[in-house]
Amino acid sequence: MPPSPSSPRPTTVGRWSALVLASATALVGTGAAALVLLPPPSWDAWQYGLLMLEFSLLLAAPAAIGLVLALLSRGRASAGRPRPGRARLAAMVAVVNGVLLVMALVPPAALWSTARAEGVRLDLGQYTAGFATSTDREPRTHVYLRTEDGPDGPEDLELDVWEPAERDGDAPLPIVVNVHGGADDLPQSLFPRWDTWLADSGHVVFDVDYRHFPDGDWSASVSDVKCAIGWAREHAGEYGADASRLAVNGQSAGGLLALLAAYTSDEEIPPSCDVPDTGVDAVVAWYSVADGTADAPRVPWRQRHSPIREELDEGAERMTGGTLEEVPEEYASMSPITHVSPDVPPTLVITSGHDLFLDPEDNRLLVSRLDAAGVAHRHLELPWTEHMFDINWGGFASQTTRHVLDDFLSEHLAP
């Protein structure tokens, strides 16, 4: 029996259902885009935005489906009369999904172009390889320094030693001292998958903890990193490592510490333990601030309009003992760009192009200063990547970085 004139036709029901689904993809996609593009209202929102950006290629699929559904939902009534309300809504939803589709494709397309320029062949199959927060084995953990001035009394500072799963011969391997970023309650091996990759690429990795910028004494963290560098050199033989070949590598705050440990003398900032050699042969800084002086580029727009800005400013004031206007000399001393000279070691600078915490111009100025000083250096700027992009092990940014980092270390830690 045919449907009665008063009952909706199946095609009409189907078109409305398609429009509802298309509207849902548009709404979800708009929320994801807002997390990426707008000032984050909280730390949690920033973290979700990081994941949305890192996996934006996966967001292209629902946007494409929403676009198709919105176009299919347009139609006419049985008598041939147009339904202008539904048609206008469908057109609007189609436009939104179309824009979201383009936005989802822009970051991976830009990174694909960067990878080609760097001579990297990306593997699309790795895109969903998971996070870098776990790995296939455990390190050996040692105490390298016992401090007497921790917030709760004496504090043991530890480091994790990561060795290759298999060795090719008995030749000692170069050392990579890794310095994590983040807060003081994070483990030293924050992204252990990178540690095992570095180890299996032919290095012995020492991933170190440190006192996280004690109030009014930011240099204590640099001293701890120098102590860890010296400890790694002294104990290199126990792990089949070559004490004469060592690079220091750090992310975010760890990158700042790596640069300061590499660029300053022991007279300027002494190590926090008695070690004979704190020098390094190369340094790698990931999305790390280089200039905290009054001449530094402005912080990104998203940070300036985010509630977390106040917390960041308070943290800087606690570390230095005052504001930039009150203690400009402290901000200058903790700015790696002010320590650049022809004597600093070869440097790899890795820059996130869409970083909440750092204007890419900061790193570009550091690279320019290195170039003017005649320092061997390399700069990898990754468009449309957020601070801490390396949490995504298979992402295009991480794949490109592995290639460039391996080339840099091979060149500057060669026997």
Side-chain angles (χ1 to χ4, degrees), residues 7-150:
S7 64
R9 288 181 173 272
T11 54
T12 301
V13 173
R15 284 169 176 160
W16 275 111
S17 299
L19 183 55
V20 169
L21 291 174
S23 300
T25 63
L27 183 62
V28 172
T30 300
L35 287 172
V36 171
L37 299 175
L38 298 181
S42 66
W43 286 106
D44 287 342
W46 170 73
Q47 292 175 18
Y48 287 127
L50 163 65
L51 296 179
M52 294 300 102
L53 185 57
E54 272 303 305
F55 293 97
S56 69
L57 189 58
L58 301 181
L59 298 177
I65 292 172
L67 173 60
V68 171
L69 289 174
L71 294 175
L72 291 176
S73 69
R74 301 187 66 183
R76 295 177 179 272
S78 59
R81 295 190 303 274
R83 293 186 180 273
R86 188 179 67 202
R88 284 195 296 268
L89 180 58
M92 181 179 68
V93 172
V95 168
V96 172
N97 276 294
V99 171
L100 292 171
L101 175 59
V102 173
M103 292 174 64
L105 293 175
V106 164
L111 287 168
W112 195 285
S113 177
T114 299
R116 288 190 61 185
E118 294 289 343
V120 181
R121 296 185 64 179
L122 297 176
D123 184 351
L124 186 59
Q126 286 192 29
Y127 192 77
T128 55
F131 296 110
T133 51
S134 62
T135 191
D136 60 354
R137 57 188 184 270
E138 295 295 325
R140 285 193 274 178
T141 302
H142 301 275
V143 174
Y144 76 90
L145 175 65
R146 182 173 178 81
T147 68
E148 300 299 328
D149 57 352

Side-chain angles (χ1 to χ4, degrees), residues 259-281:
L259 289 170
L260 289 171
Y263 286 6
T264 61
S265 68
D266 287 355
E267 288 72 29
E268 293 172 295
I269 302 179
S272 52
C273 62
D274 185 15
V275 287
D277 187 1
T278 65
V280 305
D281 302 293

Side-chain angles (χ1 to χ4, degrees), residues 20-358:
V20 169
L21 291 174
S23 300
T25 63
L27 183 62
V28 172
T30 300
L35 287 172
V36 171
L37 299 175
L38 298 181
S42 66
W43 286 106
D44 287 342
W46 170 73
Q47 292 175 18
Y48 287 127
L50 163 65
L51 296 179
M52 294 300 102
L53 185 57
E54 272 303 305
F55 293 97
S56 69
L57 189 58
L58 301 181
L59 298 177
I65 292 172
L67 173 60
V68 171
L69 289 174
L71 294 175
L72 291 176
S73 69
R74 301 187 66 183
R76 295 177 179 272
S78 59
R81 295 190 303 274
R83 293 186 180 273
R86 188 179 67 202
R88 284 195 296 268
L89 180 58
M92 181 179 68
V93 172
V95 168
V96 172
N97 276 294
V99 171
L100 292 171
L101 175 59
V102 173
M103 292 174 64
L105 293 175
V106 164
L111 287 168
W112 195 285
S113 177
T114 299
R116 288 190 61 185
E118 294 289 343
V120 181
R121 296 185 64 179
L122 297 176
D123 184 351
L124 186 59
Q126 286 192 29
Y127 192 77
T128 55
F131 296 110
T133 51
S134 62
T135 191
D136 60 354
R137 57 188 184 270
E138 295 295 325
R140 285 193 274 178
T141 302
H142 301 275
V143 174
Y144 76 90
L145 175 65
R146 182 173 178 81
T147 68
E148 300 299 328
D149 57 352
D152 300 314
E155 178 182 2
D156 288 338
L157 295 181
E158 297 179 334
L159 55 77
D160 292 337
V161 183
W162 300 87
E163 299 181 64
E166 297 181 3
R167 287 180 181 256
D168 184 13
D170 298 326
L173 301 176
I175 295 170
V176 175
V177 174
N178 189 59
V179 189
H180 70 80
D184 55 0
D185 59 347
L186 294 175
Q188 53 266 25
S189 292
L190 184 59
F191 294 154
R193 200 165 178 177
W194 284 93
D195 292 311
T196 53
W197 172 78
L198 280 167
D200 292 341
S201 298
H203 308 87
V204 177
V205 180
F206 296 81
D207 206 321
V208 305
D209 199 7
Y210 54 90
R211 287 171 290 175
H212 190 264
F213 300 103
D215 291 354
D217 188 17
W218 59 268
S219 65
S221 302
V222 185
S223 296
D224 292 344
V225 171
K226 288 189 173 186
C227 172
I229 291 169
W231 193 98
R233 286 194 184 275
E234 283 191 312
H235 295 265
E238 301 171 22
Y239 307 101
D242 185 351
S244 68
R245 295 185 288 155
L246 184 148
V248 61
N249 173 77
Q251 304 83 20
S252 189
L256 171 65
L257 297 179
L259 289 170
L260 289 171
Y263 286 6
T264 61
S265 68
D266 287 355
E267 288 72 29
E268 293 172 295
I269 302 179
S272 52
C273 62
D274 185 15
V275 287
D277 187 1
T278 65
V280 305
D281 302 293
V283 57
V284 183
W286 305 51
Y287 42 84
S288 170
V289 63
D291 189 354
T293 69
D295 296 326
R298 295 184 69 187
V299 298
W301 171 83
R302 289 187 303 143
Q303 184 191 137
R304 293 201 307 273
H305 294 84
S306 170
I308 68 175
R309 173 66 189 278
E310 182 177 350
E311 183 179 341
L312 294 172
D313 287 344
E314 290 175 353
E317 292 174 19
R318 284 196 303 270
M319 288 189 296
T320 57
T323 65
L324 176 60
E325 292 74 19
E326 293 169 340
V327 286
E329 67 283 355
E330 293 296 325
Y331 286 83
S333 295
M334 69 180 299
S335 298
I337 198 169
T338 66
H339 298 282
V340 171
S341 75
D343 299 324
V344 304
T347 303
L348 169 60
V349 179
I350 302 170
T351 306
S352 298
H354 185 69
D355 196 322
L356 173 69
F357 305 98
L358 184 68

